[in-house]
Amino acid sequence: MNIMSQILQKNIAASAGFEKADLVLKNAKIINLFSEEILVGDLAIANGFIVGIGQYDGLNEVDCSGKFISPGFIDAHMHIESTMVTPLELAKAILPSGTTTIIADPHEIVNMAGTIGLDYLLNTTENIPLNVYIMLPSSVPATEFETNGSGAFLVNDMTPYLNHPRILGLGEVMCFPNVLAGDPVILEKLTLCRDKICDGHAPGLSGKALQAYACAGIESDHESTSFEEAYEKSAAGIRILIREGSAAKNLRAIVTGLLDSGLPLDRFLFCTDDKHLEDIHRDGHIRWNIKMAIELGMDPIKAIKIATLNAAQAYGLKRLGAIAPGYRADLVILSDLQSMTVESVYKDGKPLEQYRFDNTTGDTIDPRLLNSVHIHELSPAKLKLPVYKKNHVIELIPNQIETNHLFESLPSDESNFVPNETYTKLCVIERHRNTGNVRVAAIKGFGIKKGAIATTVAHDSHNIIVAGDNDADILLAVDCLSEINGGYVVVSEHAVLGSVPLPIAGLMSLDSGETVQKKIASLVAYAHDLGIPTGVDPFITLSFMALPVIPSLRLTDLGLFDVNAFALIKYEPD
Ligand SMILES: Nc1ncnc2[nH]cnc12
Ligand SMILES: [Mn+2]
């Protein structure tokens, strides 16, 4: 008999009570998501699987009297790179608050390094105590209006990965104008993955355009910012991933509407998309989505179901997302269902304390991932922004990654834009191919005084993006990024106040999560000292300003991009 059959034989014997289970969590309040009730009893585990609920004896027993047991939480859509640490450090950060499974879209590192980046993430997520499923990036580059590092990621690049056990389908399809136009390249990807899951990214899509987007085979979306938007997409058969991240905070609006409407919840999931370590450390990860939903009035069992079984069923994750015989013993022990206080977490039947998180897998990193900043000598002349009577201006919206598109006059020295406390200079500098592309715009709402902040994390092509009120500090910030091979930096009055090196593709650190968190926190403090409002997360906000698939106005290395018109702004006024 093969090893799997031997394990099954043992599990059946333990389940039937013929043998003792490996571990029994005694007298617990078990959340049963199939009957949507709390069952009090023992939870028996063998070989990392749940073998039974009822009355059991175990070789090891833990008294869970008064404690609730939930299935491990599932993040239905996130970007590992957005936490800026390696997958092992990410696992260390999110497991303690109960996330035991993530579904990740690696378009960040694939934009940088193609299959080298994808292989890096697949290899470094193979042997860690976190279930990591991957969606093949559908939109690399996100649009043709930017320069990424690796060129296009096409069906020929995808095909070798289709049968990988942890590849679930196609990642967020962003260019809905291309989908609606019947662009052959995206349609090829959709048909290649038609028997798998196809995720969407459709901010503000509605009406016939939404019908056509759903008709193309897209099955999910995580960009809804209102209940009305979520409702229309859900009614078109699209699963709604309710997002609560570090910058994009959509849960309150959607859950409030859901509770008022009485809409069925079975096609709603939770996700973080992009959540920084500091927020994960403070609030937890998907646990925070659940807690917020409960505080808004949602039944705790239904909120937990959204974060577990709904996601597992949506993505075909067999034996995950519930507590029942034969399911994997990924479990969260909670003291109560209001505060959602996580007391302990079990992964495959073992408490987290039994796992080692030192880099025992000996991950070697392809040297091409560690040398990712290639820019021309940057001159002040390239940072000029000619001004006219009226200019296109990007306006920040606190706590959102969306921006407003303004058209107003700018402070100037007669011919060129001169930043002040209202209007900050924003520059995007191409860093992959030495093209020398530099584009400049004015951004409203950053409020930086006597300094600049810069980063190589600039979704999704990850060129250098820098915001500042004077060219000297802007140039110094870019120089510093070159020296540290990518990351985040804050400068003021011609001095570097602090930096966070992100040497893996200019996106991720080799340091521990704790070190990265401390460094980022000090940089955020420096950035706020430069005048950035407290409601604005300086780095996440900056990192999204170059993403031409989030309304309304963005800046790429090819120019100002009107997302709603889906076109670069050719602005030579009379
Ligand atoms: N929210 C998001 N985070 C990172 N990359 C993205 N590309 C499109 N949307 C994104
Ligand atoms: Mn995303």
Side-chain angles (χ1 to χ4, degrees), residues 206-372:
S206 171
K208 278 205 170 58
L210 174 63
Q211 297 293 310
Y213 190 67
C215 173
I218 283 112
E219 302 165 87
S220 81
D221 178 70
H222 56 275
E223 293 288 339
S224 299
T225 55
S226 70
F227 170 69
E228 293 69 26
E229 183 178 354
Y231 170 79
E232 187 184 1
K233 289 171 182 174
S234 179
I238 289 177
R239 282 193 176 88
I240 301 302
L241 280 56
I242 303 170
R243 173 174 61 182
E244 192 69 11
S246 291
K249 298 177 184 299
N250 314 127
L251 186 141
R252 184 173 302 279
I254 293 172
V255 168
T256 305
L258 266 179
L259 295 172
D260 293 347
S261 69
L263 211 61
L265 300 175
D266 53 331
R267 293 176 64 81
F268 286 81
L269 318 177
F270 282 139
C271 79
T272 59
D273 205 354
D274 308 275
K275 191 161 186 178
H276 271 197
L277 284 179
E278 182 188 3
D279 299 324
I280 294 170
H281 183 76
R282 184 188 61 244
D283 301 331
H285 193 246
I286 287 295
R287 169 236 173 219
W288 185 249
N289 297 47
I290 302 168
K291 181 178 182 335
M292 279 187 73
I294 293 169
E295 284 172 354
L296 288 166
M298 187 176 281
D299 173 277
I301 293 179
K302 295 194 184 298
I304 287 172
K305 191 169 184 176
I306 291 176
T308 54
L309 189 56
N310 286 14
Q313 289 179 332
Y315 286 88
L317 308 183
K318 278 178 78 67
R319 306 290 179 203
L320 280 177
I323 296 176
Y327 276 68
R328 292 176 63 179
D330 293 354
L331 304 166
V332 185
I333 313 300
L334 298 154
S335 57
D336 70 281
L337 299 188
Q338 287 310 316
S339 68
M340 286 299 292
T341 303
V342 176
E343 295 214 347
S344 57
V345 176
Y346 286 75
K347 185 71 187 68
D348 293 316
K350 286 196 322 185
L352 287 191
E353 300 71 44
Q354 289 184 15
Y355 286 96
R356 290 166 52 95
F357 285 94
D358 45 356
N359 192 348
T360 50
T361 54
D363 298 325
T364 51
I365 299 177
D366 187 306
R368 288 168 289 186
L369 286 176
L370 297 173
N371 177 23
S372 70

Side-chain angles (χ1 to χ4, degrees), residues 79 107-108 172 174 201 243 273-274 459-460 544 547:
H79 302 278
H107 66 223
E108 316 297 5
E172 51 182 312
M174 296 184 218
H201 165 109
R243 173 174 61 182
D273 205 354
D274 308 275
H459 298 290
D460 286 340
F544 273 103
L547 180 54

Side-chain angles (χ1 to χ4, degrees), residues 467-522:
D469 73 341
N470 69 87
D471 290 352
D473 282 338
I474 287 172
L475 292 167
L476 176 60
V478 175
D479 282 349
C480 178
L481 284 180
S482 280
E483 280 164 31
I484 62 174
N485 227 329
Y488 282 94
V489 63
V490 178
V491 305
S492 177
E493 297 185 289
H494 221 65
V496 175
L497 301 184
S499 65
V500 182
L502 300 176
I504 303 174
L507 302 175
M508 299 157 84
S509 170
L510 291 167
D511 288 334
S512 71
E514 195 181 352
T515 301
V516 172
Q517 200 182 312
K518 282 184 185 140
K519 287 184 175 179
I520 287 280
S522 70

